[in-house]
Amino acid sequence: YEVDEFVIDENDKDDEKKNDDNNQEQQPKVKVVKKVSGAISLGRSNLRINKSGWLYLHEEVLDKIVKFVHELFKSPNVQNCTKVIVVGGFANSEYLVHRLLKEFPDKQFLKPRQPHLAVVRGALYWICQRKKLSKTRAKYSYGISIDRKFKKGIDDEARKKADTGLGAIVENAFGGLVQRNEEYK
């Protein structure tokens, strides 16, 4: 099996429109941007992905993280910061930490023993410290991304997905836990 990433050339899109006007069915021209051969194999009951395949599948996300950190270090508040704690689920990736060290050789990237739990522990620690206050208001809305039943009048029709078991659903919807300016104890 091979994994290929394709990009349709912008000039070829115009040709595709012309072909549609002539009622001719012709495939658009495709240019191969990157090819990873032998990276993914299918067994009888499993899918095997080697290191190059894993890197290929995660490259877009890794690039976004590196770009985000570049932008973060442009901020005057953290510009002179030399130590960074890497947390969250993707922080378990040794490759991510290696890539950050390579990209920012003057910075030190630290990773707790269980980086995927660090965010939750930090939130619990913060809320326990806030118990000294009787009430507080949320500065932002907090929530998670969920797939849920489609709510007519609330959800955009373009995001509606048909699901025979549950009816219509909306994918990747915001599931609010705390709303901005909401008072909580």
Side-chain angles (χ1 to χ4, degrees):
Y1 293 88
E2 293 181 353
V3 177
D4 297 333
E5 180 178 328
F6 297 101
V7 174
I8 297 175
D9 194 343
E10 291 299 319
N11 297 330
D12 293 336
K13 284 185 179 179
D14 295 333
D15 292 342
E16 185 180 11
K17 286 181 184 176
K18 289 176 189 173
N19 290 336
D20 286 344
D21 293 339
N22 297 334
N23 292 329
Q24 297 174 353
E25 287 192 32
Q26 188 175 7
Q27 295 291 350
K29 295 176 186 172
V30 177
K31 180 173 74 175
V32 177
V33 175
K34 187 175 181 181
K35 191 172 184 178
V36 182
S37 296
I40 299 174
S41 62
L42 185 60
R44 292 182 78 188
S45 63
N46 60 3
L47 180 68
R48 291 189 181 118
I49 304 173
N50 68 17
K51 184 178 178 181
S52 64
W54 186 92
L55 294 176
Y56 172 80
L57 293 172
H58 291 84
E59 190 60 35
E60 185 179 339
V61 175
L62 292 167
D63 278 343
K64 285 181 182 180
I65 292 170
V66 169
K67 285 177 186 174
F68 174 77
V69 175
H70 270 291
E71 290 298 314
L72 193 63
F73 284 134
K74 288 180 184 176
S75 170
N77 295 338
V78 293
Q79 199 169 16
N80 298 323
C81 179
T82 58
K83 295 180 181 177
V84 178
I85 300 173
V86 184
V87 296
F90 209 18
N92 285 314
S93 166
E94 293 295 329
Y95 182 76
L96 171 64
V97 176
H98 172 74
R99 178 114 173 241
L100 289 170
L101 286 169
K102 183 179 171 186
E103 196 76 29
F104 306 96
D106 58 331
K107 308 289 184 192
Q108 186 178 5
F109 291 89
L110 309 169
K111 186 172 77 169
R113 271 186 262 150
Q114 295 178 317
H116 54 285
L117 296 178
V119 176
V120 175
R121 286 183 178 155
L124 287 171
Y125 178 77
W126 179 83
I127 202 69
C128 288
Q129 296 302 312
R130 301 290 289 193
K131 281 188 176 178
K132 296 173 186 171
L133 302 173
S134 60
K135 296 179 192 174
T136 189
R137 291 188 179 271
K139 187 175 181 180
Y140 303 103
S141 292
Y142 297 96
I144 57 174
S145 174
I146 60 171
D147 294 346
R148 61 170 166 72
K149 285 188 177 182
F150 181 82
K151 295 178 183 175
K152 192 172 183 140
I154 296 174
D155 296 322
D156 185 12
E157 288 287 330
R159 296 188 61 212
K160 186 178 182 179
K161 305 277 184 198
D163 185 13
T164 55
L166 300 172
I169 62 168
V170 62
E171 295 176 332
N172 216 11
F174 180 76
L177 300 173
V178 177
Q179 299 300 319
R180 181 179 182 267
N181 211 19
E182 181 181 329
E183 194 175 275
Y184 62 94
K185 293 182 182 185

